[in-house]
Amino acid sequence: MISSSREPSVTGVKEVGGKAASLFRLQALGCTVPPFFVVTTQATKAGVLSEEVREEIVSNWQLVGGDAHAFAVRSSGAAEDSLDHSFAGIFDTVLNVRGRDAMLAAVDQCLASHKGQTASEYRAERAVGSDEAMAVIVQRMVEARWSGVAFTADPTTQALSVAVVNAVAGLGEHLVSGAVNPDVIHLDVKTGEVRAREVPRGGEALPQEVLNAVLTEARKVAAALAFPQDVEWAFDGKVLYLLQSRPVTTLRGVWYNRYLEPWATDETVDPDGGERRWSRVYADEIWSPPVSPLFYDVQNLTGQFPLQFSMYGEQAPCPRDTFKYFRAAPYVDISLLERLYAYLPRSLRLPSLLEQLPPDRRQACRNAPWKWWGVLHRTWLFEVRKGARWGFTRNHRFLARSFGPFMAAIGALVPIDLASLRDEELDRHLERIWAVAVTIGPDCGITVFHYAPTLKLLLIVLMERWLGRGEELYGEVSAGLEGSHTLEETEAIWRIAGLVRSCGQDLVAQAQQESWAEFSSRAGMGIEAVRRRFDAFADTHGHRGATYKDLIHPRWGDDPELLWAQVQAFLASECPDPTQSHAKIAAGRRAAQARCCARLKGLTAPIKRWVLKTLFRYNEIYMSLRDNHRFYYDRVWWLLRGVYAEKGRRLARAAKLAGESDVFFLCRREIENLAQGELAPSDAAERIRVRREEWLQTRTLQPPKYLRAGYVAEDEVLVGDSAQRIHGQAASGGQIVGRARVLYDVRELGKLQDGDILVTRQTDPSWTPIFVRLGGLVLETGGVLAHGASLCREFNLPCVTAVERATVRIPDGAMIALNGGVGTIDLLDAEEACRGVVA
């Protein structure tokens, strides 16, 4: 019934509650804890203490000091001070308790608070289901000279490299009650160096030797418990006592995500430094949140910045913590962006590019001197040293020659039965995938990171200078590009739907209602023809169809129902042949280019026309290549997904994962450690649970745009926005009024009706077939080069990108006016919608 610090009988959370279990842990770690005993949950489960228990309480009270001391009597709930629920301030605590009767009354008071209204509301609000009983702690109070709390990470900024100590002279209740202002000290958690300090006016500063002892003890506890701790302490002038330790619950995501970083074990990095700032916007162009932990690890581009700087001849080091992962989104150190953009002429530092930086840093970056010598070095490197593969006129030719052998080599790996491979064979198979990937990966990077964006910037700047409306014109002269693999896929799916239609309306009605498994199991010549065409397409395009390239998303080859949903979408619409529609748009592109050239006048007009025609030609080549390279490289992502899904199945069979999909919430190092027994399944499960929860939240709620001082959000003010008008980046010209349809997943595309305006986070090639049905597109992330924006130019649809929190701010089903030329979305009332208002 009683467990004492002198002779512990039980120490588990179920028996003594979270707070008392922590005291027993501290004592086991060798920390000095004031004498205490615990009235266990077994003794209190009836809600009323028996006389036998009361006698046992009195007996233990006398053993730890009795009438000679004052005591603190406090709750210790089964769910209290856990990672999920702190119950801070919910249950009663009674201090300075003296005498037998007062002590028993205090125990009764604490026990009663467990079923009180405040506690009941707390449980209901947070869906707490594991707090059926409460233990009660009776602990001798310390006659403190100093007391306070120590956090082994900053609970405000979530900086893991910063410890925070709050100290007051005398009892800690003065700190908790707010009666006095504490000495607040921020320290480097590793070195103990004071980073900032606020000693209250007229107050005392905590002596350095006590501060050192507090930090040492707090770090010891956090290291032993493998999680940042909130440690209560008291110093009586001779001995430092620890009174409590609880996990800092707000740090779960940041703490568990730190294991994902390639620099996780490097003690020289400081990603939480107060002067550093971080941007999500640059990473949005490479990853699209929410990003699974595994894909963040697999596609981590930490090495990309040193490589890019070396291309400009710069050898200055880059921090290893170039990126950090927060709320399922990657963030980049903005100082690296500022260094990189200095190699662009000032005229090319467009507002859409500078939006990757916080507002107060944009002007300085815009005005920074142009490092023109770096451009000369890169030109020499690309055109001379690497000219055969990277030269401006040769990079696209090299890739055109390489895609065939690449597909043959990667295709040879597709039929391999992964389930039949031993673990070491599966790892060798993974190495072979990467070996094939690097045969085109660096060269695709030159297209994606250098030539395509540079050509876009040059065209926009020159057309703005010579013709006006540079960004809007860019959309017109870049629409309807030839040779699009995504367009070919759309055409093929449209023809499958046409084959279904040729079988008669009854079969069309059945196809719209049934799954592919149900429909394909039917008998009949028409269905057999559909099945052959469908299966042939799935065999060659099984690597496509994901919501996004992230490994977490299934492809058509993983789930044929995803492909069938695309066919059903065409069956629900009488849209024209996509190839014919595309031909009209391509004709419009050529006409727009001709108009641009015809508008140039004066003596320099012939030279300007030659410049524009040359840029138009290469922009078409490299923008097509930028989009088409995904058709080839997507097979790499698909094969990698297959390998890690197989690893997930094996870990699930070994009871090391709850389900095979959990593998996508671990990084490669964690997967290996889990398989080898170096990571406990319970620890892996907690990391997965927290990360999955963040990933699901980020699907519908965009993370902060910028971070500073650890993980403090510093989103910019949405200038010009109002309750009715929202601004973004103009990405594809045109105006339309239509119904907004907010979607997050390619599997939801069946909800779209012809003419709807799709509002989503980001799109991928698998979304292409529905563009023939759209009226327009609104994207939360990405710029003019975003996949969805490029497709809108292909299909001559208005598009606005980089609309912060668009999926939250635009209600699903609302009538909106979209202006892709100026980048605005207006929320309309019924009367405006009927008039077809477009601002």
Side-chain angles (χ1 to χ4, degrees):
M1 295 293 187
I2 302 294
S3 186
S4 169
S5 59
R6 295 174 62 253
E7 296 181 358
S9 56
V10 290
T11 60
V13 172
K14 289 184 178 180
E15 294 81 15
V16 300
K19 196 170 291 183
S22 170
L23 288 174
F24 283 120
R25 280 197 302 269
L26 292 175
Q27 187 170 264
L29 290 173
C31 303
T32 304
V33 178
F36 69 95
F37 65 90
V38 186
V39 185
T40 67
T41 56
Q42 183 183 1
T44 64
K45 63 183 178 181
V48 178
L49 299 177
S50 67
E51 286 304 318
E52 180 183 356
V53 170
R54 287 178 175 275
E55 290 176 4
E56 195 174 350
I57 290 173
V58 172
S59 176
N60 277 272
W61 170 70
Q62 290 171 339
L63 289 173
V64 294
D67 284 323
H69 295 278
F71 286 83
V73 181
R74 61 184 64 178
S75 63
S76 185
E80 195 173 0
D81 289 343
S82 67
L83 271 175
D84 294 309
H85 312 290
S86 69
F87 278 89
I90 300 300
F91 302 134
D92 285 358
T93 292
V94 186
L95 301 176
N96 290 312
V97 177
R98 292 183 179 273
R100 172 186 178 281
D101 293 343
M103 183 270 299
L104 289 173
V107 171
D108 289 336
Q109 179 180 335
C110 287
L111 188 57
S113 70
H114 182 251
K115 301 298 183 183
Q117 181 178 350
T118 302
S120 298
E121 291 174 351
Y122 182 92
R123 291 189 197 92
E125 180 181 342
R126 296 174 176 245
V128 180
S130 59
D131 188 44
E132 298 176 355
M134 170 189 278
V136 179
I137 304 167
V138 179
Q139 185 173 35
R140 188 193 296 175
M141 292 191 67
V142 177
E143 295 183 8
R145 171 67 183 86
W146 286 95
S147 56
V149 295
F151 298 91
T152 60
D154 191 329
T156 303
T157 68
Q158 302 189 66
L160 300 181
S161 61
V162 179
V164 181
V165 175
N166 287 3
V168 295
L171 294 177
E173 63 183 290
H174 299 149
L175 173 63
V176 175
S177 67
V180 298
N181 292 325
D183 181 7
V184 181
I185 312 144
H186 291 76
L187 310 99
D188 186 295
V189 77
K190 297 171 186 173
T191 66
E193 178 185 353
V194 175
R195 293 188 175 186
R197 187 165 194 166
E198 299 176 28
V199 180
R201 180 178 298 180
E204 295 183 69
L206 180 68
Q208 186 63 44
E209 62 273 16
V210 182
L211 176 60
N212 293 342
V214 168
L215 182 60
T216 298
E217 286 294 284
R219 286 188 303 201
K220 179 175 76 173
V221 173
L225 301 180
F227 198 87
Q229 296 291 304
D230 165 5
V231 180
E232 293 181 26
W233 56 272
F235 179 67
D236 67 359
K238 295 180 180 179
V239 179
L240 177 66
Y241 292 93
L242 298 194
L243 310 178
Q244 192 53 254
S245 180
R246 61 179 68 87
V248 186
T249 56
T250 57
L251 292 169
R252 288 178 305 169
V254 170
W255 177 258
Y256 288 130
N257 289 340
R258 191 58 58 94
Y259 291 104
L260 302 174
E261 306 293 0
W263 41 264
T265 58
D266 187 344
E267 295 189 356
T268 66
V269 303
D270 183 17
D272 308 321
E275 299 302 316
R276 298 182 70 180
R277 297 167 78 182
W278 304 79
S279 170
R280 191 202 75 229
V281 189
Y282 173 84
D284 283 352
E285 299 282 353
I286 304 164
W287 298 281
S288 183
V291 179
S292 73
L294 180 58
F295 194 59
Y296 172 70
D297 179 39
V298 167
Q299 206 197 10
N300 195 289
L301 296 180
T302 294
Q304 184 68 30
F305 277 94
L307 177 62
Q308 290 199 62
F309 288 130
S310 70
M311 291 175 178
Y312 291 114
E314 181 180 333
Q315 301 302 323
C318 297
R320 284 200 65 200
D321 51 340
T322 296
F323 292 97
K324 66 181 180 183
Y325 184 84
F326 177 63
R327 282 176 49 185
Y331 287 78
V332 67
D333 184 332
I334 67 166
S335 67
L336 294 172
L337 300 181
E338 292 169 327
R339 282 171 57 185
L340 190 62
Y341 297 155
Y343 291 103
L344 288 175
R346 290 176 179 173
S347 60
L348 297 187
R349 300 173 197 171
L350 300 178
S352 57
L353 188 74
L354 296 177
E355 281 186 9
Q356 295 177 359
L357 307 175
D360 62 306
R361 298 285 281 266
R362 294 172 189 169
Q363 192 60 37
C365 184
R366 174 73 177 81
N367 295 333
W370 176 31
K371 295 183 178 180
W372 54 267
W373 57 89
V375 178
L376 293 180
H377 186 279
R378 192 186 79 165
T379 302
W380 171 79
L381 175 66
F382 282 20
E383 302 300 329
V384 180
R385 282 191 57 193
K386 303 280 188 178
R389 296 175 65 154
W390 290 6
F392 179 64
T393 61
R394 296 180 289 280
N395 174 248
H396 64 94
R397 292 192 177 97
F398 172 81
L399 284 173
R401 295 192 304 270
S402 301
F403 283 142
F406 167 81
M407 288 297 280
I410 205 76
L413 301 176
V414 174
I416 294 175
D417 180 14
L418 301 182
S420 67
L421 301 180
R422 297 191 301 273
D423 288 347
E424 60 272 17
E425 292 174 330
L426 189 63
D427 288 335
R428 284 198 293 272
H429 179 69
L430 186 62
E431 293 172 1
R432 287 194 290 271
I433 296 171
W434 281 119
V436 177
V438 299
T439 61
I440 65 167
D443 310 285
C444 288
I446 297 303
T447 291
V448 172
F449 289 107
H450 294 279
Y451 289 140
T454 299
L455 284 163
K456 181 205 78 168
L457 291 174
L458 277 172
L459 269 173
I460 289 175
V461 168
L462 291 179
M463 289 191 297
E464 182 69 35
R465 184 172 298 174
W466 295 343
L467 303 167
R469 302 186 304 119
E471 293 197 85
E472 185 175 347
L473 284 175
Y474 179 78
E476 296 177 15
V477 302
S478 301
L481 302 179
E482 276 80 11
S484 168
H485 288 314
T486 53
L487 178 65
E488 292 169 1
E489 287 176 342
T490 302
E491 171 76 11
I493 297 171
W494 181 82
R495 294 198 178 280
I496 293 173
L499 199 57
V500 176
R501 280 201 179 92
S502 69
C503 298
Q505 285 302 312
D506 289 343
L507 200 61
V508 169
Q510 292 169 354
Q512 289 178 302
Q513 297 298 320
E514 295 178 343
S515 68
W516 171 244
E518 294 168 333
F519 181 81
S520 62
S521 66
R522 291 178 173 275
M525 293 295 294
I527 292 177
E528 178 60 29
V530 172
R531 185 163 51 241
R532 286 197 303 270
R533 181 79 65 86
F534 184 95
D535 290 343
F537 179 83
D539 284 343
T540 55
H541 294 77
H543 60 296
R544 305 279 271 180
T547 296
Y548 185 62
K549 62 184 177 181
D550 195 321
L551 304 187
I552 198 172
H553 298 297
R555 275 66 171 167
W556 289 331
D558 303 313
D559 183 3
E561 299 297 342
L562 295 173
L563 176 57
W564 183 239
Q566 299 277 18
V567 176
Q568 289 174 317
F570 276 122
L571 291 175
S573 173
E574 293 294 337
C575 63
D577 184 337
T579 301
Q580 295 178 5
S581 300
H582 183 267
K584 295 178 182 179
I585 298 167
R589 179 193 78 242
R590 292 189 288 271
Q593 292 177 357
R595 286 195 301 272
C596 287
C597 291
R599 288 176 56 193
L600 297 170
K601 306 295 181 182
L603 295 176
T604 59
I607 297 175
K608 290 179 179 178
R609 290 191 192 106
W610 178 84
V611 170
L612 281 187
K613 287 179 180 179
T614 302
L615 291 177
F616 287 155
R617 176 189 168 205
Y618 280 102
N619 179 66
E620 291 172 3
I621 291 172
Y622 280 105
M623 287 304 295
S624 292
L625 190 56
R626 180 184 181 274
D627 289 337
N628 278 344
H629 92 281
R630 278 289 309 279
F631 175 81
Y632 304 101
Y633 214 81
D634 274 352
R635 184 149 288 207
V636 173
W637 300 130
W638 184 44
L639 290 178
L640 291 176
R641 184 183 194 278
V643 170
Y644 286 107
E646 177 61 27
K647 286 178 177 283
R649 282 189 286 273
R650 296 182 186 190
L651 290 169
R653 284 199 300 268
K656 293 185 176 183
L657 289 179
E660 60 186 64
S661 67
D662 284 355
V663 76
F664 298 110
F665 294 93
L666 298 172
C667 68
R668 289 172 292 180
R669 183 175 56 253
E670 290 172 318
I671 294 170
E672 182 179 352
N673 291 344
L674 182 61
Q676 295 178 353
E678 297 171 4
L679 174 63
S682 58
D683 290 340
E686 184 63 16
R687 297 180 193 186
I688 291 164
R689 184 181 70 83
V690 172
R691 293 168 185 169
R692 187 190 291 272
E693 182 181 285
E694 287 191 335
W695 187 86
L696 290 171
Q697 290 174 346
T698 302
R699 287 192 71 197
T700 56
L701 186 61
Q702 212 168 7
K705 200 169 184 178
Y706 312 107
L707 298 174
R708 61 175 173 81
Y711 296 89
V712 178
E714 86 172 299
D715 280 357
E716 64 179 316
V717 177
L718 300 174
V719 178
D721 281 6
S722 66
Q724 299 303 118
R725 169 162 288 189
I726 300 171
H727 291 77
Q729 279 188 35
S732 181
Q735 304 176 34
I736 191 170
V737 171
R739 189 173 304 282
R741 188 59 63 200
V742 179
L743 304 178
Y744 298 100
D745 194 288
V746 71
R747 285 170 285 198
E748 300 175 308
L749 294 180
K751 299 176 182 178
L752 284 166
Q753 302 294 318
D754 289 351
D756 281 352
I757 298 173
L758 174 60
V759 182
T760 188
R761 177 66 52 79
Q762 185 57 280
T763 63
D764 213 49
S766 61
W767 299 66
T768 304
I770 55 91
F771 275 71
V772 295
R773 304 179 59 199
L774 292 183
L777 178 66
V778 177
L779 295 173
E780 283 188 341
T781 64
V784 177
L785 287 184
H787 177 267
S790 298
L791 279 178
C792 282
R793 293 191 292 272
E794 292 291 313
F795 288 92
N796 198 27
L797 298 173
C799 175
V800 180
T801 66
V803 184
E804 285 293 303
R805 302 188 298 280
T807 58
V808 175
R809 299 161 69 198
I810 301 174
D812 183 43
M815 293 300 294
I816 63 174
L818 180 67
N819 190 323
V822 297
T824 59
I825 304 106
D826 290 300
L827 304 180
L828 306 179
D829 58 29
E831 183 179 346
E832 291 172 321
C834 290
R835 295 202 312 267
V837 173
V838 177

